[in-house]
Structure formats: C-alpha cells, structure tokens
Amino acid sequence: MQQLTAHARSFESRCAERGEEFRRLGAGQSPQALFVTCSDSRVVPALITGAAPGDLFELRTAGNIVPEYRPERPAGEAATIEYAVQVLGVAHIVVCGHSHCGAVGALVRGEDLTGVPAVRGWLENAAPDLPGGAGPDAGTPELADAVQRHALAQAERLRSYPCVAEGLAAGRLSLDVWFYEVHTGAVRRHRPETGRFEAL
C-alpha cells in the first residue's frame, strides 16, 4: 500500500505535465467503448488496450458477469450499461473474459462457497449459463474454453438489454467478445464467422 500511496501523492505533479489533456477531461467524458471485464487485479483494461484517461467506460464485476435485465429491480451493472449507451453514446462494447478466472473456476468445479454467501449468491443468480464440469479444460488452471463460453454468454445477456439491442439494430453499436491470457498477455477476439477466438 505504501507504494500505491506514494504514487498517488505525486500524481498531481505528473498530471501538471499533461495539463491540457487533464483540463479537457474536466469538461466531460466521451469514451469510445464500454469495457466489461472481471474485477480480477491482474486484468488492467488500460494496460491491455493502451487506453488513455477518458477512452474507456468500465464495468467490472466478479467473473465479468452481466446480470439479467430486470427493470423492476435496478442494479448498478444495468445502470452502468444504460448510462454508457444512452447518455455517453459509446460506439463499442467489449466483454473481456480472462484465463485463470476464480469465478468461472468456482462454477465449473462446483466449489463450496458457503463461507462467502454474497459471492455464492452472485454466481448462482447471475451466471446460470455455466454448470459444473463444463468443457474439456474445466480442471486446468487456464480454463480457456470455459471462460470463453462464459464471456459469450454474458454478451448474449447484454443483447437482451433494450438500449443495447436498439443500438445494435440501428448500427450505432458494436459488441465484441475478447479473451485475455494473464500469463502471456495474448488477447483473442471471438470471430462469429468461424466460431473461434483468434488473434486480434
């Protein structure tokens, strides 16, 4: 924590060297994309994409889970998606799953999560798409197949959000699914035409 605090302490002086850039940020935001990914500390969207401040509007949840659209029960995730699309007018959405995902691993291995009831409830209610024992690599630490199928399921959930469905239908919005390998830095994109995750 000391290192993080020291960096934050000197951040203002470093920002002064980029004064005009930060003054523009003070006038508002106009991000290019909504980036939906996991809360995992090893996944850093700006590092992966080279995004500058203001480029990405981020939604980070345990397991990059997109809950079902339920207008009668507003949730922070739904509000973030709606705000990005309807207010900020993002042109792109990226759902990015990652290797070694603890949430997906817990689901496919059917782990006992009674000691973390909030986590258990989130995974049970928000991610029924991935039953235990899913996929050929369910026992591997990378979990590539399971994570990729999970990320695709979350993208399908996004398509059920009215603002996303309308944006896609009107051609104002694109939706991509990525897979990030934390141990190599490789990023792959799902190609609907082949049904495979391939290099960007």
Side-chain angles (χ1 to χ4, degrees):
M1 189 64 193
Q2 186 175 0
Q3 180 184 359
L4 299 178
T5 302
H7 189 83
R9 191 178 295 120
S10 64
F11 189 63
E12 182 180 3
S13 63
R14 284 181 282 111
C15 287
E17 300 168 7
R18 300 160 60 184
E20 183 55 36
E21 176 186 350
F22 279 87
R23 277 190 289 277
R24 283 198 307 271
L25 292 174
Q29 62 173 323
S30 183
Q32 300 176 42
L34 168 63
F35 201 90
V36 181
T37 194
C38 188
S39 305
D40 194 298
S41 62
R42 299 166 294 181
V43 181
V44 184
L47 185 64
I48 296 167
T49 63
D55 286 345
L56 296 179
F57 198 68
E58 296 180 22
L59 172 59
R60 302 189 66 157
T61 68
N64 57 270
I65 289 169
V66 175
E68 292 178 6
Y69 181 72
R70 300 178 68 179
E72 75 282 3
R73 292 181 61 184
E77 297 81 19
T80 298
I81 294 162
E82 188 174 84
Y83 190 82
V85 174
Q86 297 289 80
V87 179
L88 297 177
V90 298
H92 311 283
I93 300 177
V94 175
V95 177
C96 184
H98 70 94
S99 67
H100 303 81
C101 182
V104 172
L107 287 168
V108 300
R109 291 188 291 266
E111 292 179 4
D112 179 7
L113 300 174
T114 54
V116 281
V119 173
R120 181 185 63 200
W122 173 248
L123 296 183
E124 287 176 354
N125 294 323
D129 315 278
L130 203 61
D137 67 349
T140 69
E142 292 85 3
L143 296 161
D145 178 70
V147 168
Q148 289 169 7
R149 290 188 301 108
H150 175 68
L152 288 168
Q154 303 319 300
E156 283 307 305
R157 284 257 182 88
L158 271 170
R159 292 178 189 278
S160 73
Y161 281 59
C163 62
V164 175
E166 290 166 11
L168 291 170
R172 297 189 308 266
L173 193 61
S174 70
L175 176 58
D176 285 322
V177 182
W178 291 6
F179 173 68
Y180 170 62
E181 285 188 347
V182 299
H183 56 300
T184 68
V187 182
R188 296 183 176 86
R189 176 186 174 192
H190 182 256
R191 306 283 181 181
E193 60 273 20
T194 66
R196 299 177 60 182
F197 281 80
E198 301 173 5
L200 288 175

